[in-house]
Amino acid sequence: MNAADGLKKPTQPHNSGSKSKGLLAGLSERLTRAGQSIVGQVQSLVRRRPVLDDEFLEELEAILLQADVGVSTTMELLSGLSRSLKESGQGKALSEEDVLRYLKEEIVEVLGSHEPLRKAMEGPTVIMVVGVNGTGKTTTVGKLCHRFRKSGSEVILGATDTFRAAAIDQLEIWGKRAGARVIRHEEGRDPAAVAYDTCQAAKARGVDYVILDTAGRLHTHVNLMRELEKVKRVVEREIPGAPHEVLLTLDATSGQNGLSQAATFKEAVEITGIALTKLDGTAKGGIVLAIKDSLGVPVKLIGIGEGIEDLRDFDPREFADAIFQGLA
Ligand SMILES: Nc1nc2c(ncn2[C@@H]2O[C@H](COP(=O)(O)OP(=O)(O)OP(=O)(O)O)[C@@H](O)[C@H]2O)c(=O)[nH]1
Ligand SMILES: [Mg+2]
């Protein structure tokens, strides 16, 4: 076993950003860091070239692509922006404020409205967390569990990642910290059997939430997808309407690469939402814009740190405010 496979100990809970101005204040600092951020670069572009011409649009395109926004969303933003600027300005020199304000409006429009996690009308709500290894599945399961427990709900966790013993232990640690029971089998056992037992326990105890942690790595990708499909079928059979959410964890720092991996998961198990993790580790917020466009799945949650409290609902308006901090 190499070091990366070892038990990853969750860090102490902390509440990054929540004590300062606004929920996403910490994130905002990172996303608006001078020079790297979309806003910083757009400001310097407008200063250099305050004219709405092809060169201006080409440079803006490069800035957006470099921030991981993705090709088709970039095109959408550019055409919306130039329409608005033409209507408002007619031949006037561009102002930083106008360009940023319209860009912000376009971004909010592309992101759409906040989509909350789905909840069962009756009986346990089942959430499956899937994704490439290391993207933050287990951590997100722990954080979500803590969130539900804090609001007084009963939660049961299923250690359906049976690929490594360390993965099962890691989930157990999160379960202890958040106050939820973990259903586990031995390493190497059938994940679908763990899913089955977890559903049975959930029904017997009448819990509110079932959260399943899944494997991110197997000998082959095909095997992993088959395994996830099987887990999902068991859940569907055991609890009506389940899984209510299949959340895919995407690492915000992996940029466009993460998106192509995500497509495989989308085909195998219908993903209902994205948990975008490690947003605290990147100054490129653009990936948020590329996701919906390339996967057609809304970002529902964002991870902004390793601590138990570092999970937020993804609110497009709040996110745009964080990128364009200080702009009305
Ligand atoms: N900074 C930061 N780190 C995170 C975040 N979410 C997860 N991590 C870290 O990312 C690493 C991997 O997280 P895991 O939750 O173990 O990822 P996983 O997808 O379960 O990994 P496998 O089980 O190996 O497939 C850990 O060191 C986490 O602390 C986040 O939002 N921000
Ligand atoms: Mg894991």
Side-chain angles (χ1 to χ4, degrees):
M1 189 190 287
N2 65 36
D5 283 336
L7 178 64
K8 292 163 198 144
K9 221 172 173 189
T11 49
Q12 284 306 305
H14 60 279
N15 211 349
S16 71
S18 58
K19 288 194 190 85
S20 48
K21 202 177 66 178
L23 271 183
L24 297 179
L27 183 64
S28 182
E29 270 161 38
R30 223 159 282 115
L31 293 172
T32 52
R33 211 174 276 156
Q36 295 174 36
S37 68
I38 294 180
V39 171
Q41 293 187 62
V42 170
Q43 280 172 326
S44 89
L45 167 62
V46 180
R47 262 172 239 152
R48 260 185 301 113
R49 196 167 186 86
V51 214
L52 185 64
D53 58 8
D54 288 349
E55 244 167 273
F56 174 86
L57 290 171
E58 267 167 37
E59 284 200 42
L60 187 55
E61 179 183 335
I63 292 170
L64 294 171
L65 290 176
Q66 199 260 335
D68 285 337
V69 172
V71 178
S72 53
T73 312
T74 295
M75 296 308 154
E76 203 180 317
L77 290 177
L78 289 180
S79 68
L81 180 74
S82 45
R83 205 179 318 114
S84 304
L85 286 173
K86 269 184 199 139
E87 278 164 17
S88 75
Q90 289 303 348
K92 272 195 325 203
L94 298 177
S95 79
E96 276 173 43
E97 207 197 319
D98 278 355
V99 174
L100 290 174
R101 187 158 14 92
Y102 287 125
L103 190 58
K104 181 178 174 182
E105 276 169 25
E106 293 297 326
I107 284 177
V108 171
E109 197 164 317
V110 166
L111 289 174
S113 52
H114 166 60
E115 297 203 31
L117 291 178
R118 299 180 199 170
K119 196 166 179 337
M121 303 286 279
E122 217 185 317
T125 297
V126 182
I127 301 174
M128 249 178 99
V129 180
V130 304
V132 172
N133 59 286
T135 49
K137 292 178 294 298
T138 309
T139 307
T140 304
V141 169
K143 291 172 178 176
L144 255 186
C145 178
H146 172 70
R147 170 196 279 201
F148 295 143
R149 292 290 297 127
K150 250 185 17 183
S151 64
S153 300
E154 288 299 326
V155 186
I156 213 161
L157 303 179
T160 33
D161 178 3
T162 59
F163 191 58
R164 297 173 294 127
I168 305 172
D169 293 340
Q170 188 191 358
L171 188 69
E172 192 91 61
I173 291 174
W174 279 108
K176 281 209 177 79
R177 291 175 63 195
R181 198 171 153 215
V182 177
I183 303 297
R184 55 184 291 173
H185 286 190
E186 296 291 304
E187 178 185 355
R189 301 293 284 276
D190 183 3
V194 181
Y196 177 84
D197 284 356
T198 311
C199 291
Q200 296 310 316
K203 286 191 280 189
R205 289 159 177 262
V207 303
D208 305 294
Y209 286 96
V210 174
I211 316 178
L212 300 177
D213 186 28
T214 66
R217 173 175 22 202
L218 274 189
H219 298 298
T220 71
H221 224 53
V222 177
N223 275 348
L224 175 60
M225 295 308 144
R226 286 216 187 101
E227 177 181 300
L228 292 175
E229 284 165 9
K230 199 170 156 200
V231 166
K232 191 174 173 223
R233 276 200 302 276
V234 167
V235 170
E236 282 165 352
R237 205 175 55 217
E238 295 310 312
I239 297 179
H244 303 86
E245 288 283 358
V246 181
L247 291 179
L248 175 85
T249 51
L250 259 187
D251 179 340
T253 64
S254 71
Q256 299 287 322
N257 290 339
L259 288 181
S260 51
Q261 294 170 326
T264 323
F265 284 86
K266 198 191 162 198
E267 268 175 41
V269 278
E270 265 166 78
I271 297 160
T272 57
I274 306 287
L276 186 64
T277 61
K278 310 188 196 181
L279 250 184
D280 53 301
T282 175
K284 299 181 178 186
I287 191 72
V288 171
L289 290 155
I291 290 173
K292 202 167 177 193
D293 194 59
S294 71
L295 294 174
V297 178
V299 176
K300 293 196 171 176
L301 298 168
I302 54 175
I304 54 169
E306 293 184 286
I308 202 163
E309 301 270 356
D310 294 332
L311 184 75
R312 302 280 180 273
D313 280 333
F314 177 66
D315 179 333
R317 172 59 68 176
E318 197 177 41
F319 186 77
D321 284 342
I323 296 181
F324 294 90
Q325 202 184 22
L327 204 72

